[in-house]
Amino acid sequence: MCSLTRFAAFAPALCGVLLTRPALADPATAANAVAAAAPGVPTLAIVQTILGLAVVIALLFLVAYVLRRFNGGRGIGGNGPVRLVGGMMLGTRERVVVLEVADTWIVVGMAPGQMRTLHTLPRGELPADANSSTDFASRLAQMIGRKP
């Protein structure tokens, strides 16, 4: 019973397809009908699409060249007057960074939507950390709590 109701739902569409289908007795007529019904893309549309894509890519390269030219040969964010000395994450969204501007270090606190100057101090040297090890195994053992 269920298959009969499914057939009743698709019967009008099936009848429409069968009635508009070309006759199988004449293969030439059937081939012409299929060729005429197949949607084609004009060659001019393909050429226009390729040329449009080429123009957009050329504009991207031109803009990159002009930005590099006006920025003194440096990439975006090159060696400007501000240098990042270091930073530390305080939470998932908060961090403290030390910026160097000329001969001054500026300690900046950053949170979502705001930045605040916490302290300014004269330029100094960072002390070399005696416990810093580049060996991954020793650092991992130190973090776990075992001494290598």
Side-chain angles (χ1 to χ4, degrees):
M1 201 63 149
C2 186
S3 61
L4 186 61
T5 53
R6 270 193 240 161
F7 177 74
F10 292 111
L14 185 61
C15 289
V17 168
L18 291 175
L19 290 176
T20 58
R21 190 169 170 210
L24 295 177
D26 187 15
T29 307
N32 288 339
V34 170
V41 178
T43 307
L44 183 62
I46 294 173
V47 171
Q48 282 180 336
T49 304
I50 291 172
L51 286 177
L53 182 62
V55 167
V56 168
I57 291 173
L59 280 174
L60 285 174
F61 279 111
L62 179 68
V63 167
Y65 173 76
V66 168
L67 280 176
R68 182 166 229 174
R69 201 68 185 163
F70 285 126
N71 205 11
R74 298 181 307 252
I76 295 174
N79 299 334
V82 179
R83 185 175 74 93
L84 179 67
V85 176
M88 179 178 177
M89 295 295 293
L90 299 177
T92 56
R93 302 177 78 185
E94 299 84 16
R95 83 183 278 174
V96 173
V97 294
V98 178
L99 302 173
E100 182 181 327
V101 179
D103 288 334
T104 307
W105 281 2
I106 303 170
V107 181
V108 178
M110 297 188 323
Q114 65 180 2
M115 293 175 61
R116 293 202 177 174
T117 303
L118 302 176
H119 190 64
T120 58
L121 45 128
R123 180 180 177 193
E125 293 296 322
L126 293 175
D129 192 8
N131 292 334
S132 69
S133 173
T134 57
D135 185 31
F136 176 74
S138 63
R139 289 192 69 184
L140 180 63
Q142 191 178 35
M143 291 173 90
I144 292 174
R146 289 187 271 147
K147 297 293 180 193

